[in-house]
Amino acid sequence: KKVIDLSADYRLPAGMYEKWYDAQHTDLDNLKEAVYGLPEVYRDKINKAQLIANPGCYPTSIILGCLPIVKQGIAKVDTIIVDSKTGVTGAGRKAALPLSFSEVNENLKAYKVNAHQHKPEVNQELAKVTNKVVDIVFTPHLIPINRGILSTIYLKLKKDIDTKELASVYRKFYRTEPFVRVSSDRLPEVRDVVNTNYCDIGVTVSGSMAIIVSCIDNLIKGAAGQAAQNMNIMCNFDEKEGLIT
Amino acid sequence: KKVIDLSADYRLPAGMYEKWYDAQHTDLDNLKEAVYGLPEVYRDKINKAQLIANPGCYPTSIILGCLPIVKQGIAKVDTIIVDSKTGVTGAGRKAALPLSFSEVNENLKAYKVNAHQHKPEVNQELAKVTNKVVDIVFTPHLIPINRGILSTIYLKLKKDIDTKELASVYRKFYRTEPFVRVSSDRLPEVRDVVNTNYCDIGVTVSGSMAIIVSCIDNLIKGAAGQAAQNMNIMCNFDEKEGLIT
Amino acid sequence: KKVIDLSADYRLPAGMYEKWYDAQHTDLDNLKEAVYGLPEVYRDKINKAQLIANPGCYPTSIILGCLPIVKQGIAKVDTIIVDSKTGVTGAGRKAALPLSFSEVNENLKAYKVNAHQHKPEVNQELAKVTNKVVDIVFTPHLIPINRGILSTIYLKLKKDIDTKELASVYRKFYRTEPFVRVSSDRLPEVRDVVNTNYCDIGVTVSGSMAIIVSCIDNLIKGAAGQAAQNMNIMCNFDEKEGLIT
Amino acid sequence: KKVIDLSADYRLPAGMYEKWYDAQHTDLDNLKEAVYGLPEVYRDKINKAQLIANPGCYPTSIILGCLPIVKQGIAKVDTIIVDSKTGVTGAGRKAALPLSFSEVNENLKAYKVNAHQHKPEVNQELAKVTNKVVDIVFTPHLIPINRGILSTIYLKLKKDIDTKELASVYRKFYRTEPFVRVSSDRLPEVRDVVNTNYCDIGVTVSGSMAIIVSCIDNLIKGAAGQAAQNMNIMCNFDEKEGLIT
């Protein structure tokens, strides 16, 4: 049986898992075989896999936002700053005071500053594509909306490049991807992607910094939609089946 | 010691209390002495009382909205329809799934239709001032705002009266009240009263119906503010002390 | 060419149109031929029509909520009270201070009390199905949500009937309708219908009153979805085509 | 007459003003005399001034968040990254489609990336206190709340320091300030400061980065409250007069 796991159980090596999730890993055999389910990186492996570790919502927005620029060596990887904002469903559906309407509404806060469990997941994946140690600075924020993640990513450029050129790099990188859209003249907003499987990425260069804005619906591209996309790939269905209406 | 009780424990006779709150009353002696803490009706009794039953939030908005028209016999009391809308803090601060942000936000619902425990409290008080049996139809609704109650009240008129005359009845009735404001040209909105101890009442006549809109902040005039107002009356302080800045 | 008009221009006779919309009607010939596009009442006429007057959003929720009970003579039609609540898109997309975020958010208000232009549309349609003069009392309210209408309708019963029996009348009435769903144990909420073409109706009897809660998405069943449903009927397509995914 | 100007007209030198606000400056004489109205930096000058340029909302939150760490030379000033989030009133009260409820609600976006007119104001003030050229990277975001700004500030540390020590630097720096509160164990949230004149600052060190969260109510400490504080200073009133109840 083919399995797509939406939890965090198969995303990290056992040691990292135990450190960040504070739990013993009890399925080490399957852990070794699991493929990280980000189609834009691992499409071929996903196609042949038996067990998919579906990526976290923050990491999906962050990794897709960083991939072209770090893979092509345009930006430094030792000082990536990620300021993410998420809607409330990012925390799951549960009865908890910090998630109650009157605590969240008309409020705005940072939480788990540089200590969120999705940080090692991003570090691991960016390290794999760059062959370098990556340690992002990551601040998640809770916003009073139901759905959506917007990650604002700050990267130090290694060479002279302007917004147009960088956008061109991103467009070329993702030109065959059905669910990644790149823009430079208008930055993406959360409502552009809500209820869709798209990751929208906006690119700006300002001096020696690239500022990347990456938006997804945390419940679709950040969870169930990406799982369906992975299922389509595993089963040799059209990758967009059920995801573009 | 003088006590102002913000719970519902001393608002209804024991039998009604047990029926609507599904609990045995364990303090019958004090119950007999308790005064219903609505200053606009019971100011003198409040001044001499030892134990105040602070009114519920819905009843405060409804009773104040109905008082002039029913007390003066302008409207029938046998078909009062009350459609109330409340912010989330009306339910108290607690971890409960129905109060979580993603359940409440972008949603709107009726609940406890004609079965809310505040209904007998309104019936009792309107019956006292009219010497008639009153049985309102009462539908509360939950709205995605933090604070505020807006009650829309429909009453059948017993005689010909226009908006201007009815507004004049209301203004006269409340002319010495520090915390009731009457309007007819512009209906009150929740934000007019949020963070204040005011009850704002708007009056409209349409054919043989009076449509009354009554707004309060459920946490102030509907709870702590009214308690402070009662304390001021009990202690012979200026009734507005601490409530108008 | 077949036309489905989403404006209010072909819903009322010229005289009523001019009174309520304060404009001269300039297309009287077509006005005579227009069919009111509520499929649950006029399906056969819609099928043969050249010009459809697509119903207003409030009227769709109200008429569908009232139809079974008034058509079967179970409730009086001379004292129908409708307390409607709408999201902001009900007013259209425009730059207007009363629709700006900080005016609407954390606020709640009634407007156009018994003077809204959708009132004659409801009166006309309920009069047609009952052969009686109907003059509802109608109070619209603006709620800080994007989409959705919830109408709470109060009707005086002419005979003894309980919730279960009344729900059964509604279910029977709408049993072949693809886009009307009836409930009695749990009342509908706005989020049950948002992004769908459904009208969800909840039924409660309390004493001699029926309290009906009727919910639609104002942009779908209240506008474009109902237009698509009408198009499907006019073109002999499957009525659900494009509306149920 | 003493004047406190809430506009941006007297905050920048004429050249910078003309560049960022795209308007000719027409009052150069007064511009020379204007004092930047940030009491935590210019209290003595404010006391003697005739004309105060009341600071912008973003700059108030950012400058106060950076002052201790840059003035004491603990962090580099050449790579300050500021990711700010504001409520809707930050844009003023006006009829504009981008500020309408249905555009803002359930949405989240970055705007004027590194091109906001408040950026030179921050650069100028941080340059003055450090005697260095400062050019922050500044991304403002619009959030669906009425009031409040939260700025998340990323600074590269020049020396080894932990969260506790850095918090101690901030506390010492602001120990006599009536409207700045510093925390390290719990980061400030917008609702901690809404309806107050406080600037709440939370301090975290993670590796070689300081992450500072700075919150104000944009309408109070970011506008009218700070103006009142300046007035108190100019008139030798108690600085807290009317601002702490």
Side-chain angles (χ1 to χ4, degrees):
Chain A
K1 267 180 202 161
K2 290 169 187 285
V3 171
I4 299 167
D5 184 73
L6 272 88
S7 81
D9 291 351
Y10 297 95
R11 297 179 195 156
L12 300 174
M16 291 296 275
Y17 177 81
E18 283 164 17
K19 176 181 168 193
W20 285 90
Y21 289 89
D22 197 23
Q24 190 80 23
H25 205 292
T26 58
D27 187 19
L28 296 175
D29 287 347
N30 281 316
L31 179 57
K32 272 176 225 152
E33 305 302 322
V35 171
Y36 191 68
L38 194 64
E40 292 77 7
V41 181
Y42 298 107
R43 187 169 282 111
D44 291 345
K45 286 191 181 172
I46 292 167
N47 178 247
K48 302 191 188 76
Q50 288 298 108
L51 172 57
I52 299 294
N54 214 57
C57 49
Y58 283 129
T60 297
S61 75
I62 301 166
I63 298 167
L64 292 178
C66 290
L67 262 190
I69 199 169
V70 300
K71 209 167 170 185
Q72 314 257 335
I74 298 166
K76 294 189 186 172
V77 296
D78 58 354
T79 53
I80 302 175
I81 291 172
V82 182
D83 191 290
S84 290
K85 299 91 181 166
T86 188
V88 179
T89 54
R93 185 170 184 261
K94 59 192 168 199
L97 199 54
L99 300 182
S100 72
F101 185 85
S102 27
E103 308 283 310
V104 173
N105 184 42
E106 289 299 289
N107 195 17
L108 179 52
K109 66 172 174 181
Y111 67 101
K112 292 190 185 173
V113 176
N114 223 12
H116 192 283
Q117 67 278 9
H118 282 174
K119 179 179 153 157
E121 194 179 327
V122 175
N123 286 344
Q124 163 182 288
E125 294 304 317
L126 294 184
K128 278 188 193 165
V129 297
T130 58
N131 284 317
K132 290 184 182 164
V133 173
V134 176
D135 188 16
I136 64 166
V137 174
F138 176 43
T139 313
H141 298 77
L142 183 65
I143 307 288
I145 59 174
N146 280 350
R147 317 166 71 136
I149 285 179
L150 186 150
S151 292
T152 312
I153 308 169
Y154 302 88
L155 301 114
K156 194 95 183 165
L157 292 166
K158 286 159 67 178
K159 60 176 190 183
D160 232 29
I161 189 168
D162 66 17
T163 295
K164 211 176 154 184
E165 290 164 329
L166 186 59
S168 165
V169 168
Y170 271 72
R171 280 202 189 88
K172 202 171 160 192
F173 191 92
Y174 286 126
R175 75 182 178 284
T176 60
E177 285 301 332
F179 294 113
V180 181
R181 300 184 298 199
V182 176
S183 65
S184 54
D185 47 347
R186 176 189 174 277
L187 289 182
E189 309 181 3
V190 157
R191 65 178 177 149
D192 298 338
V193 298
V194 163
N195 292 328
T196 81
N197 197 50
Y198 289 111
C199 176
D200 280 9
I201 299 173
V203 169
T204 307
V205 171
S206 186
S208 62
M209 295 291 294
I211 305 170
I212 311 295
V213 173
S214 175
C215 289
I216 60 168
D217 184 327
N218 57 301
L219 296 177
I220 315 275
K221 184 63 175 168
Q226 187 142 268
Q229 188 180 355
N230 283 325
M231 180 188 69
N232 289 339
I233 296 169
M234 293 168 92
C235 300
N236 292 310
F237 299 158
D238 177 352
E239 192 170 329
K240 302 187 291 295
E241 187 71 34
L243 294 170
I244 291 183
T245 52
Chain B
K1 267 180 202 162
K2 292 172 188 283
V3 171
I4 299 169
D5 182 75
L6 271 88
S7 81
D9 291 352
Y10 298 95
R11 298 178 194 157
L12 299 173
M16 290 297 274
Y17 176 81
E18 284 163 16
K19 177 181 167 192
W20 285 89
Y21 289 89
D22 196 25
Q24 192 78 24
H25 205 293
T26 56
D27 187 20
L28 297 174
D29 287 348
N30 281 317
L31 178 57
K32 272 177 225 150
E33 305 302 322
V35 172
Y36 190 69
L38 194 64
E40 291 78 7
V41 182
Y42 298 109
R43 185 170 282 110
D44 291 346
K45 287 192 181 171
I46 292 165
N47 178 248
K48 302 189 189 77
Q50 289 296 109
L51 172 57
I52 298 292
N54 213 58
C57 48
Y58 282 129
T60 298
S61 74
I62 300 166
I63 297 167
L64 292 178
C66 290
L67 263 189
I69 199 170
V70 301
K71 209 168 172 184
Q72 314 255 336
I74 298 167
K76 294 188 186 173
V77 296
D78 58 354
T79 54
I80 302 174
I81 292 171
V82 182
D83 191 289
S84 290
K85 298 92 182 163
T86 188
V88 179
T89 52
R93 185 169 184 263
K94 60 190 167 201
L97 198 54
L99 300 181
S100 73
F101 185 84
S102 28
E103 309 282 309
V104 173
N105 183 43
E106 289 298 289
N107 195 18
L108 180 50
K109 67 173 175 181
Y111 67 101
K112 293 189 184 175
V113 176
N114 223 13
H116 192 282
Q117 68 277 9
H118 283 173
K119 179 180 154 156
E121 192 178 327
V122 176
N123 286 344
Q124 163 183 288
E125 294 305 317
L126 294 185
K128 279 187 193 164
V129 296
T130 59
N131 284 318
K132 289 184 183 161
V133 173
V134 176
D135 188 15
I136 65 166
V137 174
F138 176 43
T139 313
H141 298 76
L142 183 65
I143 307 289
I145 58 175
N146 279 351
R147 317 168 70 137
I149 285 179
L150 185 150
S151 292
T152 313
I153 308 169
Y154 302 88
L155 301 115
K156 194 94 185 164
L157 292 166
K158 286 160 67 178
K159 61 175 191 182
D160 233 30
I161 188 168
D162 65 17
T163 296
K164 211 176 153 183
E165 291 164 331
L166 187 59
S168 163
V169 169
Y170 270 72
R171 281 203 189 85
K172 202 172 160 193
F173 191 93
Y174 287 127
R175 74 183 178 285
T176 59
E177 285 302 332
F179 293 113
V180 182
R181 301 184 295 198
V182 176
S183 64
S184 54
D185 49 347
R186 177 189 173 278
L187 290 181
E189 308 180 5
V190 157
R191 64 179 178 151
D192 299 338
V193 298
V194 163
N195 292 329
T196 82
N197 196 49
Y198 289 111
C199 177
D200 278 11
I201 300 173
V203 169
T204 308
V205 171
S206 184
S208 63
M209 296 291 295
I211 305 170
I212 311 295
V213 173
S214 176
C215 290
I216 59 167
D217 184 328
N218 56 300
L219 297 177
I220 314 274
K221 184 63 175 168
Q226 186 142 264
Q229 188 181 355
N230 282 324
M231 180 190 68
N232 289 338
I233 297 169
M234 292 168 93
C235 300
N236 292 311
F237 298 158
D238 178 351
E239 192 170 328
K240 302 187 291 296
E241 187 71 33
L243 294 170
I244 290 182
T245 50
Chain C
K1 268 181 201 160
K2 292 170 186 283
V3 171
I4 300 168
D5 183 75
L6 271 88
S7 81
D9 291 351
Y10 298 95
R11 297 179 194 156
L12 300 174
M16 291 297 275
Y17 176 81
E18 284 163 17
K19 178 180 168 193
W20 286 90
Y21 289 90
D22 197 24
Q24 191 79 23
H25 205 291
T26 58
D27 187 19
L28 296 175
D29 287 347
N30 281 317
L31 178 57
K32 273 175 222 149
E33 304 304 321
V35 171
Y36 190 70
L38 194 63
E40 291 78 7
V41 181
Y42 298 109
R43 186 169 282 112
D44 292 345
K45 287 190 180 173
I46 292 166
N47 178 246
K48 302 190 188 75
Q50 287 299 108
L51 173 56
I52 298 294
N54 214 56
C57 50
Y58 282 130
T60 297
S61 76
I62 300 167
I63 298 167
L64 292 178
C66 290
L67 264 189
I69 199 169
V70 300
K71 209 168 172 185
Q72 314 256 337
I74 297 167
K76 293 187 185 173
V77 297
D78 59 354
T79 54
I80 302 175
I81 291 171
V82 182
D83 192 291
S84 290
K85 298 94 183 162
T86 188
V88 178
T89 54
R93 183 169 184 264
K94 59 190 168 202
L97 198 55
L99 300 182
S100 72
F101 185 85
S102 27
E103 307 283 310
V104 173
N105 183 43
E106 289 299 290
N107 195 17
L108 180 51
K109 67 171 172 182
Y111 68 101
K112 294 190 184 175
V113 176
N114 223 15
H116 193 281
Q117 67 277 10
H118 282 174
K119 178 179 154 158
E121 193 179 328
V122 175
N123 286 344
Q124 164 182 288
E125 294 304 317
L126 293 185
K128 279 188 193 164
V129 298
T130 59
N131 286 317
K132 290 185 181 161
V133 173
V134 176
D135 188 16
I136 64 165
V137 175
F138 177 42
T139 313
H141 297 77
L142 183 65
I143 307 289
I145 58 175
N146 279 350
R147 319 167 69 136
I149 286 178
L150 185 150
S151 292
T152 312
I153 308 168
Y154 301 88
L155 301 115
K156 194 94 186 166
L157 293 166
K158 285 160 68 178
K159 60 176 193 183
D160 233 32
I161 189 168
D162 65 17
T163 296
K164 209 176 155 183
E165 290 164 331
L166 186 59
S168 165
V169 169
Y170 271 71
R171 280 202 190 87
K172 204 171 158 192
F173 191 92
Y174 286 126
R175 75 184 178 286
T176 60
E177 286 301 334
F179 294 113
V180 181
R181 299 184 296 198
V182 176
S183 64
S184 53
D185 48 346
R186 177 189 173 279
L187 290 180
E189 309 181 4
V190 157
R191 66 178 176 150
D192 298 338
V193 299
V194 163
N195 293 328
T196 82
N197 196 49
Y198 288 110
C199 177
D200 279 8
I201 300 173
V203 170
T204 308
V205 171
S206 185
S208 63
M209 295 293 292
I211 305 169
I212 311 295
V213 173
S214 176
C215 289
I216 60 167
D217 184 326
N218 56 302
L219 296 177
I220 315 270
K221 184 63 175 169
Q226 187 142 266
Q229 188 180 355
N230 282 325
M231 181 189 68
N232 289 339
I233 295 170
M234 293 169 93
C235 300
N236 292 310
F237 299 159
D238 177 351
E239 192 171 330
K240 303 187 292 293
E241 188 70 34
L243 293 169
I244 291 184
T245 50
Chain D
K1 267 178 201 160
K2 291 171 187 283
V3 171
I4 299 168
D5 183 73
L6 272 86
S7 81
D9 291 350
Y10 298 95
R11 297 178 195 156
L12 300 174
M16 291 296 276
Y17 176 81
E18 285 164 16
K19 177 181 168 192
W20 285 90
Y21 289 89
D22 196 23
Q24 191 78 23
H25 204 292
T26 58
D27 187 19
L28 297 175
D29 287 349
N30 282 316
L31 179 57
K32 272 176 225 150
E33 306 302 321
V35 171
Y36 190 70
L38 194 64
E40 292 76 7
V41 182
Y42 298 109
R43 185 169 283 109
D44 291 346
K45 288 191 179 172
I46 293 166
N47 178 248
K48 303 191 188 76
Q50 287 297 108
L51 172 57
I52 298 293
N54 214 55
C57 49
Y58 282 129
T60 298
S61 75
I62 300 167
I63 298 167
L64 292 178
C66 291
L67 264 189
I69 198 169
V70 300
K71 210 167 171 185
Q72 314 256 334
I74 298 166
K76 294 186 185 174
V77 296
D78 58 354
T79 54
I80 302 176
I81 291 172
V82 181
D83 191 291
S84 289
K85 298 93 183 164
T86 186
V88 179
T89 53
R93 185 170 183 262
K94 59 190 167 201
L97 198 54
L99 299 182
S100 72
F101 184 84
S102 25
E103 308 282 309
V104 173
N105 184 42
E106 290 298 288
N107 195 17
L108 179 51
K109 66 173 174 183
Y111 67 102
K112 294 190 185 175
V113 176
N114 223 14
H116 192 282
Q117 67 277 11
H118 282 173
K119 180 180 152 156
E121 192 178 328
V122 176
N123 286 344
Q124 164 182 287
E125 294 305 318
L126 293 185
K128 279 189 193 162
V129 297
T130 58
N131 284 318
K132 291 187 183 161
V133 173
V134 176
D135 188 15
I136 64 166
V137 174
F138 175 42
T139 313
H141 298 78
L142 183 65
I143 306 290
I145 59 175
N146 279 351
R147 319 166 70 135
I149 285 179
L150 184 150
S151 293
T152 313
I153 308 168
Y154 301 88
L155 302 115
K156 194 94 183 165
L157 292 166
K158 285 160 67 179
K159 60 175 194 182
D160 232 30
I161 188 168
D162 66 16
T163 296
K164 209 175 155 183
E165 290 164 331
L166 186 59
S168 164
V169 169
Y170 270 72
R171 281 204 189 85
K172 202 171 161 193
F173 191 93
Y174 287 127
R175 72 182 182 285
T176 59
E177 285 301 332
F179 293 113
V180 181
R181 300 184 296 199
V182 176
S183 64
S184 54
D185 47 348
R186 176 189 174 279
L187 290 181
E189 309 181 3
V190 157
R191 65 177 178 152
D192 298 338
V193 298
V194 164
N195 292 328
T196 81
N197 196 50
Y198 289 111
C199 176
D200 278 9
I201 299 172
V203 170
T204 307
V205 171
S206 184
S208 63
M209 296 291 293
I211 305 170
I212 311 295
V213 173
S214 175
C215 289
I216 60 168
D217 184 327
N218 56 301
L219 297 177
I220 315 275
K221 184 61 174 169
Q226 187 143 267
Q229 188 181 354
N230 282 325
M231 180 189 70
N232 289 338
I233 296 169
M234 292 168 93
C235 300
N236 292 312
F237 299 159
D238 177 350
E239 192 171 328
K240 303 186 293 293
E241 189 70 35
L243 293 169
I244 290 182
T245 51

